[in-house]
Amino acid sequence: MSTKRIIDAEGRKSTWVGGCFIMGLTEMLYTPSMGLMSAVNLIAAYSFSFILGGLVFIKPMRDNRYVTMLDPFQIKYGKAFTAIQSLGALLSDILWLAGTLISLGATMNVILDLPYSVSVWISTAVVIVYTLLGGLYSVAYTDIIQVILIFITMSVCLPFVLINPNHVDITQTALNNTFQAPWIGKLERKFAWTTIDTFFYLTLGNLGTQAFHQRILSATSTSTARTTCFIGSFTVIIFGIPSILIGAVAASTDWNLTSYGSPSPLERGEGAMILPIALNYLTPTFVAITGTGAISAAAMSSADSALLSSASIFTCNIYKAILRPQASQTEIQWVIRATVVVTGLIGASLTNLKNSIILMVFLAYEVCYILIFSQLVCVLFFNISNFYGAVVGWSTGLVLRMLSGEPSLGVAPVIHFPGCTLEDGIYVQYSPVKTIAMLSAIAANLLFSYLASVLSNKGLLPEKWDVFKVKAQHSAQPPTPSDDGKRYNEKETLDEKESHQDTLEPMITTTC
């Protein structure tokens, strides 16, 4: 395997195996309402997402030579709808960044004993400066170092956590209420549909992220992108094991016997900080320092990917394409810098809403699943789709999801699907509301696209009313000469052979 392919593989893993992943998994294990069942569901979804992306989405995205995930929308639907999708993509990236900053802030809070809010803002400043100073190539190589550090240090820390005398056997607490509810999670039948719903929106929502497509589109060839996806699907499982075991130990620990004292982290509302807390109080000092350093490196690798993704989307698909088509390259460079700073500040502000890493991650994937993935499927695989159908589909998914409510944010449902029950004064949906919203978005897109196409092509409506030229819309492929695909394939082969000579342009000089 070439050096470039290794870079692609490690870079792809570092995007997901970051602070949100390892700390979020531990938080899930430690939180009684989620537990092992939710953590396994998350890992399985991530792994299957890489496989599905490698088999289905890589080829159409790369064959059409797209630069970002939003390019097919730009080509087929035009600038207006691309701006709408760009806002959804930016929101998901900012939510992901907020979860990453929570993990960074939590780690710094435990290490330096600084106030949580101060820790978050210091972390934000470090991430912004790190991303601005490093080019895309340097980020790729530091991602490799961070992934290696995560694996080695977490593997070193795990044995010390397991042999700590202040916890009982994790097999006893898996099903028994010892210091808190069993860490295996809830196995009740009523959670079946919501568990399936979570699996689908994590799996398919990942395919609606710019971070995923940023990696596959920057690979030297289609085969390289597909291979690294398959590698990632396996390694993400391996990287999740230490976090799961540490979370189980934390749930089995009598914290009153440690210097942390009573009450427990769960009772103090510090579940999001449980990984650095466990390393700090259940391992020797030198091991704790090594482990928390690895967590910080993991969070940093996720944060720079989110910032780069936001800068790419805003600069290419909003600023250059819509706001300032005549912008010079120097102006574009400054816009990228400004986007990195503004995105970082917004992400830091969102950390005040909810101190939960996994909640931010889940919200980000919901946005991608309902608003982006649904429309990406239509634009790539259904020629009938057009601007009018896309707008109706996007709006349908958004409205339906908002009316379904979100108990974690205190939003009451307006639509009560089958199984919706009132628990502790809050209505909880037990139907797969996210998947219902996503499928409704696809169905609305195709139905209204067909109606708009029939009305326009059969002359049932005046042509001057067809503002977005449905008659002229075909597949989302850029106009190229007939032999261009052959030349592109030849170029990929050449790139594969000479990948050791390739260099990536620094992020600050990226062109659109």
Side-chain angles (χ1 to χ4, degrees), residues 298-375:
M300 195 72 73
S301 70
S302 295
D304 62 42
S305 294
L307 289 176
L308 286 172
S309 175
S310 300
S312 173
I313 290 173
F314 180 80
T315 305
C316 292
N317 294 95
I318 297 181
Y319 191 84
K320 178 67 174 177
I322 300 173
L323 301 179
R324 288 271 297 170
Q326 72 277 20
S328 65
Q329 185 57 35
T330 301
E331 183 178 343
I332 291 297
Q333 293 171 19
W334 282 106
V335 171
I336 292 174
R337 293 186 180 99
T339 304
V340 168
V341 174
V342 172
T343 301
L345 296 177
I346 295 175
S349 300
L350 289 178
T351 61
N352 296 322
L353 297 179
K354 198 78 172 180
N355 184 20
S356 174
I357 298 170
I358 207 64
L359 175 61
M360 292 295 179
V361 173
F362 282 3
L363 290 176
Y365 279 123
E366 278 195 49
V367 172
C368 294
Y369 182 53
I370 298 171
L371 301 182
I372 301 176
F373 173 78
S374 61
Q375 304 310 309

Side-chain angles (χ1 to χ4, degrees), residues 21 24 79 91 113 116 130 132 159 179 184 217 247 263-264 272 282 295 340 382 388 397 403 411 417 428 444 472 474:
F21 179 77
K79 298 178 180 179
L91 176 59
D113 197 24
Y116 172 72
Y130 167 79
L132 288 175
F179 303 111
I184 197 170
L217 295 174
S264 68
L282 301 180
I295 296 173
V340 168
F382 294 92
Y388 304 107
L403 294 179
V411 180
F417 288 95
V428 179
H474 300 289

Side-chain angles (χ1 to χ4, degrees), residues 12 16 46-54 212 229-230 232-233 236:
R12 196 179 324 284
W16 286 267
Y46 271 24
S47 180
F48 184 70
S49 177
F50 284 119
I51 296 174
L52 185 63
F212 175 82
C229 273
F230 296 154
S233 69
V236 73

Side-chain angles (χ1 to χ4, degrees), residues 95-108:
L95 288 169
W96 179 273
L97 178 63
T100 303
L101 293 176
I102 290 174
S103 65
L104 269 173
T107 305
M108 187 173 292

Side-chain angles (χ1 to χ4, degrees), residues 9 20 47 49 55 62 67 89 96 100 122 173 186 191-192 204 229 234 244 271 278 327 379 393 425 455 493:
C20 285
S47 180
S49 177
L55 294 175
R62 289 187 59 87
V67 178
W96 179 273
T100 303
I122 292 176
T173 56
K186 298 181 179 180
F191 295 109
L204 302 180
C229 273
F234 173 75
I244 289 178
V379 77
L455 292 175
T493 303

Side-chain angles (χ1 to χ4, degrees), residues 30-111:
Y30 185 68
T31 305
S33 61
M34 291 183 278
L36 179 64
M37 303 303 296
S38 297
V40 170
N41 198 26
L42 172 66
I43 293 177
Y46 271 24
S47 180
F48 184 70
S49 177
F50 284 119
I51 296 174
L52 185 63
L55 294 175
V56 179
F57 284 86
I58 284 180
K59 184 174 175 56
M61 291 295 291
R62 289 187 59 87
D63 283 356
N64 289 312
R65 281 136 291 172
Y66 298 135
V67 178
T68 72
M69 174 191 66
L70 298 175
D71 284 355
F73 301 105
Q74 178 80 30
I75 293 168
K76 189 170 186 180
Y77 301 151
K79 298 178 180 179
F81 185 78
T82 303
I84 297 174
Q85 281 290 61
S86 298
L87 295 176
L90 284 172
L91 176 59
S92 68
D93 280 338
I94 291 172
L95 288 169
W96 179 273
L97 178 63
T100 303
L101 293 176
I102 290 174
S103 65
L104 269 173
T107 305
M108 187 173 292
N109 173 261
V110 172
I111 297 174

Side-chain angles (χ1 to χ4, degrees), residues 202-263:
L202 290 175
T203 300
L204 302 180
N206 183 35
L207 300 179
T209 61
Q210 167 63 11
F212 175 82
H213 294 281
Q214 172 183 307
R215 298 294 186 178
I216 66 173
L217 295 174
S218 64
T220 55
S221 68
T222 300
S223 61
T224 298
R226 185 175 289 117
T227 300
T228 53
C229 273
F230 296 154
I231 294 173
S233 69
F234 173 75
T235 54
V236 73
I237 299 174
I238 304 300
F239 276 73
I241 294 174
S243 294
I244 289 178
L245 291 176
I246 292 174
V249 170
S252 308
T253 297
D254 184 354
W255 290 99
N256 199 38
L257 299 178
T258 69
S259 58
Y260 182 85
S262 222

